[in-house]
Amino acid sequence: QVQLVESGGGLVQPGGSLRLSCAASRSIDEIYNMAWHRQVPGKQRELVASVINSGQTNYAESVKGRFTISRDNAKNSVFLQIDSLKPEDTATYYCYARQYDRGWNEYWGRGTQVTVSS
């Protein structure tokens, strides 16, 4: 089992920046994939960015060039640097982990709200 706790959300003006953090309850060395998803009410949760344990990253087209995902295994954490925020980035952002342990296991945090508004 892995518990994930997000932090760093808030209210920010368009063009601003935020850094989201996700702290895992134990070592993430063995976790294959860590990612950030986001969801707005009435819409499906969507993948924003992911990073696998080799360091390879993947981004949604809508955030490329503005979002940067990173993982720090020493801190059992994954981060999402969000720059040039737009109103359409407003959503609840969820941390996600996928680990293989006698089968694939998936874990979700409870989310952190990001609101972009002037």
Side-chain angles (χ1 to χ4, degrees):
Q1 286 284 336
V2 180
Q3 282 76 48
L4 304 172
V5 179
E6 304 96 334
S7 61
L11 173 63
V12 64
Q13 291 187 342
S17 297
L18 282 174
R19 187 174 190 243
L20 306 184
S21 300
C22 170
S25 59
R26 63 171 183 80
S27 172
I28 64 172
D29 287 351
E30 301 301 321
I31 295 180
Y32 173 70
N33 182 15
M34 297 201 73
W36 288 93
H37 292 69
R38 67 185 180 188
Q39 188 172 24
V40 297
K43 293 189 176 182
Q44 281 192 325
R45 192 171 296 188
E46 63 171 352
L47 173 66
V48 173
S50 65
V51 56
I52 61 175
N53 52 12
S54 68
Q56 182 177 343
T57 58
N58 181 55
Y59 295 93
E61 284 296 324
S62 60
V63 307
K64 280 183 179 179
R66 300 189 299 121
F67 289 22
T68 304
I69 189 170
S70 60
R71 62 190 285 170
D72 187 336
N73 286 11
K75 296 181 179 180
N76 300 333
S77 296
V78 63
F79 306 97
L80 186 68
Q81 178 67 39
I82 310 176
D83 299 317
S84 303
L85 275 158
K86 304 176 182 180
E88 52 264 40
D89 294 319
T90 296
T92 301
Y93 285 70
Y94 295 91
C95 184
Y96 165 89
R98 188 168 186 247
Q99 177 196 22
Y100 187 84
D101 180 12
R102 290 169 289 182
W104 286 105
N105 300 296
E106 297 183 322
Y107 305 96
W108 292 93
R110 292 190 174 184
T112 185
Q113 178 67 35
V114 172
T115 302
V116 184
S117 175
S118 55

